[in-house]
Structure formats: C-alpha cells, structure tokens
Amino acid sequence: IATYPVVQFSGSTIDREKFVAGLGSLSPQAVQAALGALERLPPDPAPKNLVPLLRLLRQLARDAGEAKARARVVALIERQTGQTFGIAEGKADSEDLPGLYRPVFEWFVKKHPDLAAAASGDEAGADLVEWRKVLATVEWAKGDARRGEQLYRSRGCLACHAGASRLAPDLTGVASRFSRDDLFAAIVAPSLDVAPAYQTTLVRTTKGETHVGIVAFQAADGLILLTGADTSVRVPTEEIAFRRTVARSLMPDGLLKGLRPRDLADLYGYLRTLTPRPAGKE
C-alpha cells in the first residue's frame, strides 16, 4: 500500500495524468497541489479528466468548511469546459450543499452519460468489471513468486502491510483466508469494503488545517492520527473544529495499473507464499 505523496508539481502538460490522479488523494496538501498544477496548465476538456474533479466536488460538498476548495474546483471545471454555472455560495446554502452544486453534475451526466457512474463515485464497480475480464485471462499456475515479491515491494505494499501495522492488515495467510477473486477485488477497489479498524477519519482544526488518517490513539486531551506509513499527527482536543469518519481506505486505487496478466500471476504467486510460521520459530 502506498499513499499519494505531497509533492511540488511542476506544471508540465506531460504530467497532467499525475495531477489528475492527485485529486483523489487522501492528503489535503496533495489535493491542493494538484489543483494548483491543473490551474496553471492549458484548459483540458477531456471528459475522463473531468471525472476526478466532479468526484472531488461531490466529496467537498459534504463539508461546509470547504467553501474555498469548492469554488476552486468549480472554477476549474468552468475553465476546462467553457461552461458557466453561476454558483455563488452563501451562508444559507450550507444546509443543502449537494443541491446547490447539482447543476454541475446534471450538466455532466447529460453531456457524458457514459461517465455518469464514474462521476457519481461508482467508478470502483466499473473498474472491477473490467479487471475481472483481465483476471479471467491470467495463467495463475505460471506465476513466479520472486518476481511477485519485487512487484509487492515496488508498489509500496510492504510499507503498510508489514507485520502488526496499524495502517493495514497483516497479509500472512491472506491467500488461504480469501478467494483469489475477493483478494484482487480488494486490491482493485480498496474503499468498497473497509474494515472498521482501518476506516479513516478527517479532522479539521481551528487553525484551518485538515488531516486524514487512522486514529491510533485517543484521549481526553486529543488524538493521534496515522497519516502514512511513517507519518502521524497529534491534534489537541481544543483545536478540533470538525471531525468525521471517511468511507475510504488509506490504500489508494490504481495499484494494479499497468500490470500485465503475467505480472498478476507473479503477484499472486508471492502472496501465496505468505503463510504463517510454525509456532516457536522465528
């Protein structure tokens, strides 16, 4: 598992795909950086690149404190498409933010009905359908566990699945606990079914900071959030202005992107080697 890094985007058009992917990050800093980079690039009306903006807008519309971010997203959508939605958010609108921004979504669905599911947040289900077609072509018996281990490490899985990590479950024996189809479904769409222990929490502070992570410790004077494999933040209780559980996993989507059927067989071959050690042996 790997989380999107907080990076300084260069503003190069050849990196547009990276900036668009950054819009789906759980890191508010990465999202802001991605928005800034896209704002500096020439307009791009490609429907597939509008989908992440609409998904981000839908997410922001659940939180009254994200007015500035919503304005940036709508302005970017208008710039990319040449459309004008005329949305001016006021204090009274906080009671029905999804309704206020409905014209944006309705326009997109009418213009691009084939992408309606993706824009509404059902993209993971569509991805699963496509990936199952790929999985059906895999020659699983030919997987090479050594190559699979290299993939496992290069895709950042070890960082969060190492032993008793609080960020993600231990994968020891995972191939015997889950069917192959269920295992790969969890990799393709990690946020479809998040166990309570690994649900993320969004916290906004009185200083205007936003943090997203897994609650590792909570007491009367504050809480500690694990925000990445080697990062955490402590938020004092008196500085918590807003807090809610987010129905997303810290594990990002797209971890299998670019892999061939042979690679998938290799990865599964390695996961099958992660068997529990006999009692008393190190």
Side-chain angles (χ1 to χ4, degrees):
I1 293 177
T3 54
Y4 292 106
V6 179
V7 295
Q8 296 297 319
F9 292 118
S10 64
S12 169
T13 55
I14 63 174
D15 289 329
R16 188 188 296 273
E17 184 176 340
K18 297 179 182 177
F19 308 150
V20 172
L23 297 174
S25 172
L26 279 173
S27 164
Q29 294 89 345
V31 172
Q32 293 301 314
L35 281 173
L38 291 171
E39 288 167 345
R40 293 191 295 272
L41 292 180
D44 170 32
K48 67 171 185 171
N49 288 337
L50 293 174
V51 168
L53 283 168
L54 289 160
R55 289 168 64 95
L56 177 58
L57 180 60
R58 190 179 298 277
Q59 177 184 331
L60 294 171
R62 300 173 185 153
D63 185 349
E66 293 286 7
K68 290 183 179 179
R70 285 190 292 273
R72 287 183 70 184
V73 173
V74 172
L76 188 53
I77 293 174
E78 291 181 333
R79 178 172 174 267
Q80 306 290 59
T81 64
Q83 297 293 312
T84 301
F85 298 102
I87 297 175
E89 187 175 324
K91 290 184 178 180
D93 296 314
S94 62
E95 296 298 321
D96 184 21
L97 289 173
L100 179 66
Y101 290 93
R102 189 171 295 121
V104 181
F105 299 102
E106 290 179 343
W107 168 83
F108 185 81
V109 170
K110 184 176 181 180
K111 189 79 173 176
H112 307 289
D114 55 319
L115 294 175
S120 68
D122 293 334
E123 192 174 36
D127 283 348
L128 275 175
V129 172
E130 293 305 312
W131 271 106
R132 283 184 175 128
K133 295 177 183 177
V134 175
L135 295 175
T137 69
V138 176
E139 296 183 72
W140 299 104
K142 294 185 178 182
D144 185 314
R146 289 174 298 178
R147 290 197 303 262
E149 181 177 7
Q150 293 175 353
L151 277 171
Y152 182 82
R153 292 177 179 275
S154 67
R155 297 272 160 158
C157 306
L158 184 64
C160 296
H161 285 290
S165 168
R166 294 292 301 275
L167 289 174
D170 182 0
L171 295 185
T172 300
V174 69
S176 59
R177 298 198 308 271
F178 298 95
S179 70
R180 189 174 59 217
D181 286 349
D182 286 345
L183 180 54
F184 276 89
I187 299 173
V188 172
S191 294
L192 277 183
D193 186 14
V194 185
Y198 303 106
Q199 290 182 349
T200 51
T201 295
L202 181 149
V203 175
R204 179 171 294 104
T205 72
T206 54
K207 298 177 181 179
E209 301 170 338
T210 301
H211 305 287
V212 178
I214 294 175
V215 177
F217 178 80
Q218 182 170 334
D221 61 345
L223 57 82
I224 295 177
L225 284 177
L226 299 178
T227 55
D230 54 5
T231 58
S232 63
V233 61
R234 180 183 181 278
V235 186
T237 299
E238 64 271 17
E239 293 183 10
I240 299 177
F242 175 84
R243 169 183 176 178
R244 69 176 171 86
T245 299
V246 182
R248 290 186 61 187
S249 168
L250 276 181
M251 181 174 174
D253 299 330
L255 285 177
L256 298 182
K257 186 175 182 180
L259 296 187
R260 302 162 299 176
R262 173 182 172 179
D263 299 324
L264 299 176
D266 293 342
L267 179 59
Y268 186 62
Y270 173 66
L271 293 176
R272 292 182 65 188
T273 70
L274 301 179
T275 56
R277 295 185 180 185
K281 291 189 177 182
E282 297 298 327

